[in-house]
Amino acid sequence: MSSHSLSPRPEVHGFFDPATNTISYVVRDPASDACAVIDSVMDIDYAAGRITYDHADEIIAFITARGWRLDWLIETHVHADHLSAAPYIQAKLGGRIGIGEKITEVQETFGKIFNEGTEFQRDGSQFDALFKDGDTYAIGGLTARAIHTPGHTPACMTHVIGDAAFVGDTLFMPDGGSARADFPGGDAGELYDSIQKVLALPDETRLFMCHDYGPNGRDIAWETTVAEEKAHNIHVGQGRTREEFIRFRTERDASLAMPKLIIPSLQVNMRAGEIPTDASGRPMLKVPVNGL
């Protein structure tokens, strides 16, 4: 892992969504007009059952104003706390939607929980590309590499692009620690191993978070480095052992409430951002009772 080249240095722009504490990214090849969008957000008023696109429109306007070309829409994993706007952005700007190949395991698990019929494909075919561990893809002249980093979910991938790595929910900022590992298919031991893969990247690698909650009242932040995480991460830094992490993570997860948007998020995100429909074709979400 340490042999990874830190050149070139992609241009990275973060877009913070305060409703879900999610950071979406536009990543541009500095040598061309090609870019990628990572972990976009579709707005939902869950109580009203209303979908809007303000956050996605901001990203679309940003890319359009600069005349950039969108090559990829990357999902680091099937998010449980926000809905993806990938198909909405794709319809406006083009590009391919990609996710880790283990999406099929997530679809199988949650297809049962949401009692999806046989018309719901569990083969990942809703996405344009399914990445295996180590797969590469191009953003203009940039080579991006997908690293399988499960633990939070089976399909989690970290995307390494030049000197930047987009870690999804594998890691938070040093004072935020790590993500939970108690969702179906999650595993605290796997999460620890995945974090070690990320921390094996060169120390100066820029790490970009998918979420930040401003612990202890600090300003929202989403960029750090491998060196900072190794030295200061409150869950895995300073050589915390695998056994210590598993014990801590398991106890902590048992105390956490479910994300407020987990039910709509999973149904939409396992479909690559498409909203499910009922038999008459109307957009419709299900609420499984005592299913999660």
Side-chain angles (χ1 to χ4, degrees):
M1 204 70 76
S2 60
S3 63
H4 174 77
S5 171
L6 293 179
S7 179
R9 181 182 173 90
E11 190 178 315
V12 180
H13 302 270
F15 296 80
F16 179 68
D17 175 47
T20 63
N21 288 80
T22 303
I23 303 96
S24 305
Y25 296 98
V26 175
V27 186
R28 176 181 168 250
D29 170 22
S32 74
D33 291 329
C35 68
V37 170
I38 298 178
D39 291 334
S40 62
V41 174
M42 177 167 63
D43 307 306
I44 183 171
D45 180 343
Y46 192 30
R50 186 173 296 113
I51 296 287
T52 52
Y53 297 96
D54 292 350
H55 189 267
D57 284 338
E58 181 185 0
I59 290 174
I60 290 167
F62 180 88
I63 293 171
T64 302
R66 287 155 180 79
W68 294 349
R69 181 188 80 239
L70 183 59
D71 284 0
W72 285 95
L73 296 124
I74 298 297
E75 301 293 333
T76 55
H77 63 293
V78 173
H79 309 277
D81 43 25
H82 73 268
L83 284 65
S84 169
Y88 176 82
I89 297 173
Q90 184 184 50
K92 306 278 187 181
L93 298 178
R96 302 178 71 201
I97 302 174
I99 198 167
E101 65 169 348
K102 298 294 186 180
I103 177 62
T104 56
E105 294 183 16
V106 177
Q107 290 175 330
E108 189 64 38
T109 297
F110 290 105
K112 292 174 182 172
I113 289 172
F114 289 105
N115 194 28
E116 302 292 353
T118 54
E119 70 278 2
F120 173 59
Q121 297 298 311
R122 295 160 170 82
D123 59 0
S125 56
Q126 301 88 343
F127 298 82
D128 299 313
L130 302 181
F131 300 118
K132 296 182 175 68
D133 183 43
D135 276 357
T136 61
Y137 57 97
I139 304 167
L142 286 175
T143 297
R145 181 162 53 97
I147 302 171
H148 188 215
T149 48
H152 175 63
T153 81
C156 288
M157 304 287 281
T158 292
H159 291 261
V160 182
I161 308 170
D163 76 332
F166 299 84
V167 299
D169 286 8
T170 303
L171 275 172
F172 292 156
M173 293 294 286
D175 60 349
S178 61
R180 64 196 300 165
D182 62 332
F183 293 151
D187 183 280
E190 279 193 340
L191 181 58
Y192 181 88
D193 296 341
S194 293
I195 290 169
Q196 301 313 307
K197 285 188 189 179
V198 174
L199 298 184
L201 292 165
D203 279 355
E204 57 271 38
T205 304
R206 295 182 289 162
L207 300 181
F208 292 93
M209 312 295 113
C210 186
H211 296 287
D212 188 65
Y213 302 93
N216 303 311
R218 70 149 166 78
D219 289 343
I220 297 296
W222 52 75
E223 179 181 348
T224 184
T225 65
V226 168
E228 285 292 311
E229 291 282 18
K230 285 198 290 195
H232 302 299
N233 186 284
I234 58 173
H235 293 174
V236 294
Q238 298 181 332
R240 176 173 281 203
T241 68
R242 193 176 193 271
E243 291 70 26
E244 289 171 334
F245 178 81
I246 291 171
R247 184 167 58 249
F248 162 80
R249 189 71 263 172
T250 303
E251 291 172 358
R252 182 175 175 84
D253 289 350
S255 72
L256 298 175
M258 280 289 176
K260 291 176 182 163
L261 294 179
I262 187 169
I263 286 174
S265 295
L266 291 173
Q267 291 174 80
V268 168
N269 295 339
M270 69 182 183
R271 291 175 165 86
E274 297 288 354
I275 301 168
T277 57
D278 64 13
S280 64
R282 293 179 302 168
M284 193 69 63
L285 294 163
K286 298 176 181 178
V287 179
V289 176
N290 297 332
L292 287 173

